[in-house]
DNA sequence: TTAATTTGCGCAACTTTGTTGCATTTATGT
DNA sequence: ACATAAATGCAACAAAGTTGCGCAAATTAA
C-alpha cells in the first residue's frame, strides 16, 4: 500500500526545499510504490479515492518532481509521458522496456547507455533514449 | 525539387497495388526528396502551394504509405510522429538522431540495433527504438 | 466511351494529452 | 495568529491525431 511511503515521500520533498503539500506527497508516494513507470492518467486513477487532484495540479506536481530529480520522465513511443521514482538504481541514464501487450513500461537498469554511438562528423551527443519493445513475462 | 520524383513515387505506389492519387504521389515525392524525417505539419507546409491537401487526407495518406512499407514512422521523443521514405539503406531497423536545437531528425544507418539486449527472464524482444539526441553540425 | 463500382477525399466533430492565465487557498516562517 | 510566497482549482486554450459520413475520383466492366 502506497500510504506506507508517505513519510519517506514527505522527507524527500522537504530535503529539496519544496513545500510538502498533500498533492506532492501523494504523487510521489504512488510513484515510489509503483513497480513500473506510470502515466498521468494512471496516477490520477490511483489517487482518485484517497486524494482527488485536479489534472493540472497533477501535471504541475509531476513537473516539479522531475525538476527536483525525485522522479524521471519516459517518452516510450506513444505520445504519453510516463513517470517513475528515481531510486538509487535509476539515478543515471537508463533504457526502458515497453510491453506491446499491456503497455507497461519498466526501467532496464542493466542496459548500459554509456557506449560510443557513431554520429556524423560535427554532430554532438547529449543524451540517448532507448526503448526496447516486446512482450513482458505476463503477456508472453 | 521534389517534382522530379513524381514518376518514381507513382511507380512505387502502383507496385503496391494501390490507387495512384495525386495526394499519395505528392506526399511520397516530398518524403523521397527529403533529407530528414518530416512531421505531418512540415509535409503539409511543403505541399501547400502545389497540392493543398486536407489534414485528414494527409494523415490517412501517411498511414497508408507506412502500411505499404514505402515510408517509416519515427517517434523521437516529442509527441510528434515524423515520417521518412524507406530507401534501401533504411529498410531495416535503424536508430535516429534528433537535434535538440533545430528539431531535425535523421536516420542513423550505421548504428546496428541487432545486438543482444539483456531483458528480464520471460520477456520477449520485438523491436528496439533508439534515438540519440544532441546537436547537429549546424547547431553545434 | 460510358457506366458501375470501389476507393479515397474533404469536412465537421471529437478525443487525448498537455499548457496557460488568473483568482483563491494553503504552507510556512515570523 | 499573520504575512507572504507558493501551490491549487477552474476555465480556456492548443496541438496532434481520429472517426463518421456524404461526395468525388480512380479503376474496372460493359
Ligand atoms: Mn526509468
Ligand atoms: Mn529512419
Ligand atoms: Zn505486458
Ligand atoms: Zn540542428
Amino acid at each position: 500500500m502506497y500510504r506506507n511511503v508517505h513519510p519517506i515521500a514527505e522527507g524527500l520533498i522537504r530535503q529539496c526545499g519544496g513545500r510538502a503539500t498533500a498533492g506532492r506527497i501523494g504523487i510521489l508516494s504512488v510513484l515510489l510504490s509503483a513497480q513500473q513507470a506510470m502515466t498521468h492518467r494512471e496516477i490520477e486513477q490511483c489517487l482518485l479515492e484517497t486524494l482527488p487532484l485536479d489534472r493540472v495540479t497533477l501535471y504541475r506536481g509531476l513537473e516539479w518532481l522531475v525538476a527536483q530529480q525525485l522522479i524521471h520522465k519516459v517518452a516510450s513511443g506513444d505520445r504519453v509521458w510516463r513517470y517513475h521514482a528515481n531510486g538509487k538504481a535509476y539515478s543515471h541514464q537508463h533504457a526502458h522496456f515497453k510491453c506491446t501487450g499491456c503497455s507497461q513500461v519498466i526501467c532496464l537498469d542493466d542496459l548500459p547507455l554509456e557506449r560510443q554511438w557513431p554520429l556524423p562528423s560535427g554532430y554532438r551527443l547529449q543524451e540517448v533514449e532507448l526503448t526496447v519493445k516486446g512482450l513482458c513475462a505476463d503477456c508472453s
Side-chain angles (χ1 to χ4, degrees), chain A:
Chain A
M1 185 37 177
Y2 68 85
R3 214 187 279 265
N4 305 335
V5 294
H6 270 225
I8 297 164
E10 183 168 350
L12 288 167
I13 288 166
R14 287 194 193 281
Q15 266 182 276
C16 298
R19 288 196 183 173
T21 65
R24 286 178 182 170
I25 295 169
I27 297 167
L28 184 52
S29 296
V30 169
L31 292 179
L32 284 169
S33 327
Q35 297 307 303
Q36 319 91 28
M38 295 176 76
T39 64
H40 175 275
R41 268 290 173 84
E42 290 166 341
I43 301 167
E44 194 178 30
Q45 283 300 313
C46 192
L47 286 171
L48 202 60
E49 294 155 21
T50 50
L51 183 73
L53 278 184
D54 184 79
R55 341 176 304 110
V56 178
T57 305
L58 179 45
Y59 274 118
R60 292 201 264 231
L62 288 167
E63 196 180 6
W64 186 85
L65 290 168
V66 169
Q68 307 308 312
Q69 303 186 53
L70 290 175
I71 66 177
H72 63 275
K73 216 179 179 178
V74 189
S76 67
D78 52 8
R79 331 175 307 105
V80 184
W81 293 112
R82 283 176 175 77
Y83 302 87
H84 197 228
N86 282 337
K88 286 160 225 132
Y90 304 132
S91 49
H92 59 288
Q93 273 208 51
H94 57 273
H96 294 96
F97 177 91
K98 166 133 194 248
C99 177
T100 54
C102 63
S103 296
Q104 76 162 323
V105 172
I106 62 166
C107 304
L108 294 177
D109 187 39
D110 296 337
L111 235 150
L113 295 183
E114 281 78 24
R115 50 174 282 199
Q116 286 302 327
W117 306 97
L119 295 180
S121 78
Y123 281 58
R124 238 178 330 178
L125 182 146
Q126 288 175 335
E127 181 186 351
V128 176
E129 195 180 290
L130 174 61
T131 307
V132 180
K133 296 183 179 180
L135 292 170
C136 75
D138 289 338
C139 292
S140 275

